[in-house]
Amino acid sequence: MSQALEILKAIAVGFLGAIGVVAFLLAGVIWVSVMDRRIAQSLGSESAQDAINLPEQLQRLALSLKSYMRGLLAQDAGRFLPWLASLISVAAGVIAFASLSFGPAVHLADFNTGLIFIFGAGFLAIHGEVLARGFSVQNAPLAGLARNAMRVASFEAGAALALVSGVILSGSISLKQIVAAQLDQGAWFFFLAPVGFLLYLASSIAGIDTVSRPLARTAVECGENPADRPGAFRWPFGSLGATIHLLIGAGLATTVFWGGWLRPFASFRDHFAGTPVELLDAMPPLAMAATAVYCRRVASSEKDAVRKQLMSIASAISAGLFVILAGVLFAPPAAIAAVHGAFWFLAKMAVYIYGFLWLRARIPQFRFGRPIRAAWNFLIPLAAINVVAVAAALVTRERWDWSPALSTLVMTAIALGIAIWLALHDMSQTTAYGVEP
Amino acid sequence: MFLDRLLFDFFAAIAAASALAMVTRRNILHAAILLLATLLAIGGIFLQLQAEYAFAAQLLLFAGGVVLLFVLVVMLLVPESLRQDASFNWKNYVISALVLVALIEILALVWARHEGTIWPSVAALPPNNTGAMGDALFRDDLLAFEFASVPLLATIIGVVMLAKRRTE
């Protein structure tokens, strides 16, 4: 009997967790699409000609899911593999996302080998991309498949090498221990390995931009006619997987370089007089209260009815979050750590994603040859050098008692010097390569 | 405990079924995807035995790397007509027979050793076995580990040489 209960409990926990992850991811995908569109609009780029608002995004996502499910259920022999392919891509993303730790105790799966696992899932997703392209676009040149896989793999290699600096500094490949190490050392790894973070950012931007575009852009770029929209939804679903991978990349960057669920100034631990509540734990509720007031103000002065409604909803959500974040301050410290940890993690992720989209919108998209050459001639060598530089900084700190600031500064300067030399060298070599393949 | 057993049976069933399906498919692309399923199920068994490193390596190297290579090579180099080769080839039967003999041998060995041997169980492992493995590879047996990397280095150099010759 107890065995049956045990199994039921395990299934229920897994099921609820899975629903939570999927719901969260879908919300994140919509948010990313809306943000991407807003950024494109603010740049006045041509792909932003038709403004897409939140309700339309929701409708698009629903249609996309509908046609996806219809395809899965059809079981047509010729079409089953493409659907399986996009299923692999999305499922790999969901599984990888589920293995992120959102707080000291907020996680679904805690592996010792979280970092490798997430990269493994990323390679699984490449399967999905390759298969989906191979089957769904009948007239796609096959060489394009290999190029896309190669491109993703190249930049994933660059991103992985960039993350190694975090592994060296923390001495672990467990995501929780990497965050714990940042608390112990009193500094986020961004400040100890800035070059590593920049390389990671560059690799993620270059690796993700042509293979996959967020929902909003793809539909426009496919020359989609509003009249026959459902027909175009095979592509958006492929890029749904890609948007999920953007979210995972943000989660990894937050964990490894931005201190995960740690609050800024995590080692400052003064308390409110006579309470166990720390002073800086007042930040999240205050931030949410300010957001709620701001959104309410914007809503009251907004002319557009839909936007007015959206801002009111945002204001209400912020107010709700304020209540939760402030209320938990009266709970035991473990609860504060969990809820506020999740808040900080998501806030950092949001900032990272916004910066990512902002940068990507401003960086021109090159065709195949240039990014690949940049990856192998510049990014990956520099990432390897950065690994050595970070290790050397660690040695100078531990053996010669250099201060963290000095060792980081010296080693960053050396890595940047080599980066400049590599870039100049690469430029002088450009003509020797002749025409791109 | 019972849950562990159930999970093991679940993954083992998937692994065995998709392995069987893999060797009986005519379409080699389908076979490659079934191989992926087999490898993932075996990875699940590793994870369930708390061999987290083996699980991650399985995912990254075999499921992610090797099978991806298979899929790409099949899609790029094997024409559609050859992907469903149904012609009789006696070599296949010889190879199948050899594999069958090897399989029976392994099963016999497992069966013979089954009595009285304590199989490594989860409880007997060190609590942080990923760390223990890192210690073994990078401290206790560093020399052997580095020797093993020499062929890999030779392979990398060989690949670079082949690729260079073609472009110049």
Side-chain angles (χ1 to χ4, degrees):
Chain A
M1 192 61 206
S2 67
Q3 280 174 348
L5 271 179
E6 187 191 357
I7 295 169
L8 275 179
K9 196 182 147 203
I11 291 174
V13 168
F15 194 68
L16 287 177
I19 289 178
V21 166
V22 170
F24 181 82
L25 273 177
L26 288 179
V29 166
I30 293 168
W31 183 77
V32 166
S33 311
V34 172
M35 274 299 137
D36 197 42
R37 172 62 39 162
R38 292 292 293 271
I39 289 170
Q41 273 176 344
S42 73
L43 283 177
S45 81
E46 50 190 88
S47 63
Q49 272 166 358
D50 61 336
I52 289 175
N53 51 27
L54 189 73
E56 194 171 346
Q57 286 291 329
L58 283 172
Q59 194 193 12
R60 261 164 198 254
L61 196 73
L63 279 168
S64 162
L65 280 170
K66 191 178 110 192
S67 86
Y68 179 75
M69 295 316 277
R70 202 166 50 200
L72 273 185
L73 294 175
Q75 297 274 343
D76 186 328
R79 295 182 86 196
F80 180 65
L81 273 177
W83 294 119
L84 180 73
S86 55
L87 181 70
I88 291 176
S89 189
V90 173
V94 172
I95 292 170
F97 199 80
S99 70
L100 288 172
S101 292
F102 289 85
V106 189
H107 54 76
L108 273 185
D110 177 34
F111 302 119
N112 272 335
T113 50
L115 209 54
I116 306 184
F117 171 73
I118 289 181
F119 269 90
F123 274 102
L124 266 190
I126 300 180
H127 267 288
E129 295 278 341
V130 167
L131 288 172
R133 269 153 202 269
F135 289 111
S136 65
V137 189
Q138 292 301 330
N139 52 0
L142 277 174
L145 290 180
R147 288 182 164 192
N148 273 317
M150 187 180 154
R151 180 184 172 117
V152 175
S154 300
F155 285 104
E156 227 172 270
L161 267 176
L163 286 175
V164 167
S165 45
V167 174
I168 292 175
L169 287 167
S170 65
S172 175
I173 44 174
S174 149
L175 296 175
K176 287 183 91 171
Q177 284 175 24
I178 289 175
V179 177
Q182 295 179 71
L183 182 62
D184 288 344
Q185 299 179 17
W188 296 349
F189 287 159
F190 168 74
F191 298 105
L192 296 179
V195 179
F197 172 72
L198 292 177
L199 285 171
Y200 179 78
L201 186 63
S203 300
S204 350
I205 290 178
I208 211 165
D209 70 357
T210 56
V211 175
S212 42
R213 277 153 287 193
L215 292 165
R217 268 199 209 173
T218 328
V220 178
E221 280 166 24
C222 288
E224 178 198 341
N225 180 357
D228 52 28
R229 247 179 209 159
F233 275 109
R234 187 185 266 176
W235 278 98
F237 209 89
S239 68
L240 176 60
T243 313
I244 292 174
H245 295 135
L246 194 162
L247 290 168
I248 294 164
L252 268 185
T254 305
T255 306
V256 176
F257 292 108
W258 293 105
W261 62 80
L262 298 178
R263 156 189 91 196
F265 307 107
S267 28
F268 178 81
R269 314 200 61 146
D270 284 4
H271 294 259
F272 282 110
T275 61
V277 179
E278 294 176 21
L279 282 179
L280 289 177
D281 278 340
M283 276 199 289
L286 288 180
M288 277 300 117
T291 315
V293 171
Y294 172 78
C295 290
R296 165 76 25 214
R297 281 199 165 182
V298 172
S300 59
S301 62
E302 182 69 52
K303 301 273 185 296
D304 186 69
V306 177
R307 283 194 156 189
K308 198 178 178 95
Q309 223 165 11
L310 280 178
M311 285 318 260
S312 315
I313 293 171
S315 168
I317 291 175
S318 310
L321 282 175
F322 165 73
V323 171
I324 293 173
L325 288 166
V328 83
L329 287 179
F330 300 99
I336 302 181
V339 174
H340 282 212
F343 170 81
W344 284 117
F345 191 90
L346 295 178
K348 288 172 190 175
M349 255 179 84
V351 171
Y352 175 88
I353 291 172
Y354 189 83
F356 181 98
L357 295 174
W358 191 90
L359 271 174
R360 191 178 63 175
R362 275 161 181 77
I363 293 173
Q365 292 186 8
F366 296 110
R367 66 212 167 84
F368 172 73
R370 276 180 76 120
I372 285 285
R373 210 179 58 213
W376 287 99
N377 285 3
F378 182 73
L379 265 176
I380 292 175
L382 182 58
I385 290 163
N386 180 54
V387 168
V388 178
V390 168
L394 201 65
V395 170
T396 57
R397 241 174 287 156
E398 287 182 355
R399 294 275 161 86
W400 302 341
D401 285 333
W402 289 21
S403 74
L406 178 69
S407 61
T408 308
L409 214 62
V410 169
M411 292 307 162
T412 305
I414 293 176
L416 284 179
I418 295 173
I420 292 167
W421 179 78
L422 271 176
L424 292 176
H425 183 73
D426 188 38
M427 265 189 252
S428 68
Q429 293 270 307
T430 306
T431 46
Y433 282 81
V435 183
E436 303 288 340
Chain B
M1 243 27 256
F2 180 70
L3 192 62
D4 275 350
R5 180 60 204 268
L6 202 72
L7 279 174
F8 175 82
D9 288 346
F10 174 72
F11 285 126
I14 292 180
S18 49
L20 199 66
M22 178 188 80
V23 291
T24 51
R25 287 307 96 182
R26 292 268 178 230
N27 186 324
I28 47 178
L29 205 56
H30 293 186
I33 291 167
L34 285 162
L35 175 63
L36 181 68
T38 310
L39 290 173
L40 288 178
I42 293 172
I45 293 175
F46 284 153
L47 186 63
Q48 187 246 335
L49 290 171
Q50 296 184 14
E52 282 150 336
Y53 185 79
F55 162 68
Q58 175 90 359
L59 197 63
L60 189 65
L61 297 180
F62 291 100
V66 174
V67 181
L68 186 59
L69 205 65
F70 286 169
V71 169
L72 270 180
V73 166
V74 167
M75 292 184 87
L76 281 177
L77 301 180
V78 183
E80 192 76 46
S81 56
L82 280 183
R83 285 188 202 169
Q84 303 196 3
D85 187 9
S87 61
F88 177 80
N89 192 339
W90 63 269
K91 280 185 210 153
N92 292 349
Y93 288 88
V94 174
I95 294 169
S96 308
L98 286 176
V99 171
L100 195 66
V101 169
L103 183 68
I104 291 170
E105 202 175 347
I106 292 170
L107 284 178
L109 207 63
V110 168
W111 186 250
R113 291 264 177 105
H114 184 65
E115 309 290 327
T117 316
I118 300 159
W119 291 84
S121 67
V122 173
L125 290 167
N128 179 3
N129 61 69
T130 309
M133 201 179 132
D135 284 345
L137 283 182
F138 295 107
R139 198 173 56 204
D140 304 343
D141 301 317
L142 182 65
L143 194 67
F145 179 67
E146 289 301 325
F147 268 129
S149 72
V150 173
L152 283 177
L153 183 66
T155 316
I156 292 172
I157 294 172
V159 168
V160 171
M161 290 307 289
L162 283 174
K164 260 195 127 58
R165 199 169 297 157
R166 208 178 51 193
T167 49
E168 276 170 6

